[in-house]
Amino acid sequence: MGLGINKQLDLQTLLTDIGRATAREQGWYDARQGVQRQFVSAVAVIALVCGATLPVLARRAGRWEMAATIGLVSLFAFVGIRAASFHHIDAVLSSTWAGAKINHVMELGGIVVIALTALGRKAQDRRGRHPKRWGRVLQT
């Protein structure tokens, strides 16, 4: 839901505009590339930490929840990097890989992983198998 709200309100553009105005106001706009690199590095580190921590925290969850968690971390990392909207990042994201834009592969990849895990979980529930639920995982 949060990603949908962000998509409609274009909050990453607002964040970029505020950052740009702050950089100009404080006089470090010309040196912004170092700050941009630090921002992207911080997003990558946070994504890696979440990607390593969430599976440990959810170790009792079913495989579908685990896969959805990986998709969610991937998608949040993409949104964070995309929110940076830096020219050198945009150049990488607009390049192609196997005939598809990197931007689309990253964004849709996370969404597809989440959607497939939801479908897999639903199919598993229909067959009568009920894996461990998040509620029990979070209570222990």
Side-chain angles (χ1 to χ4, degrees):
M1 186 165 119
L3 293 174
I5 291 169
N6 178 54
K7 189 77 166 172
Q8 292 302 313
L9 298 177
D10 198 18
L11 296 175
Q12 69 269 14
T13 302
L14 175 63
L15 178 67
T16 301
D17 290 345
I18 290 170
R20 191 174 293 130
T22 301
R24 284 188 180 124
E25 192 175 287
Q26 295 178 358
W28 53 270
Y29 185 78
D30 292 334
R32 68 189 179 280
Q33 288 184 345
V35 175
Q36 292 170 340
R37 277 192 285 280
Q38 290 174 347
F39 179 82
V40 171
S41 297
V43 169
V45 167
I46 290 168
L48 289 172
V49 167
C50 288
T53 304
L54 286 175
V56 172
L57 294 175
R59 65 186 171 276
R60 294 184 184 175
R63 67 177 178 219
W64 299 112
E65 288 86 355
M66 194 69 75
T69 300
I70 292 168
L72 191 61
V73 168
S74 169
L75 190 56
F76 281 143
F78 168 75
V79 169
I81 291 171
R82 189 69 188 106
S85 187
F86 307 134
H87 296 294
H88 56 282
I89 297 296
D90 288 342
V92 171
L93 292 176
S94 63
S95 64
T96 59
W97 177 70
K101 282 189 174 184
I102 300 291
N103 185 28
H104 298 148
V105 171
M106 290 179 68
E107 182 175 16
L108 296 176
I111 293 170
V112 166
V113 168
I114 294 168
L116 290 176
T117 56
L119 292 172
R121 173 61 186 267
K122 186 175 182 177
Q124 185 179 31
D125 284 349
R126 282 191 189 148
R127 290 190 301 266
R129 297 186 194 137
H130 298 283
K132 298 172 184 128
R133 303 281 184 199
W134 279 102
R136 281 192 269 154
V137 170
L138 296 175
Q139 290 174 357
T140 56

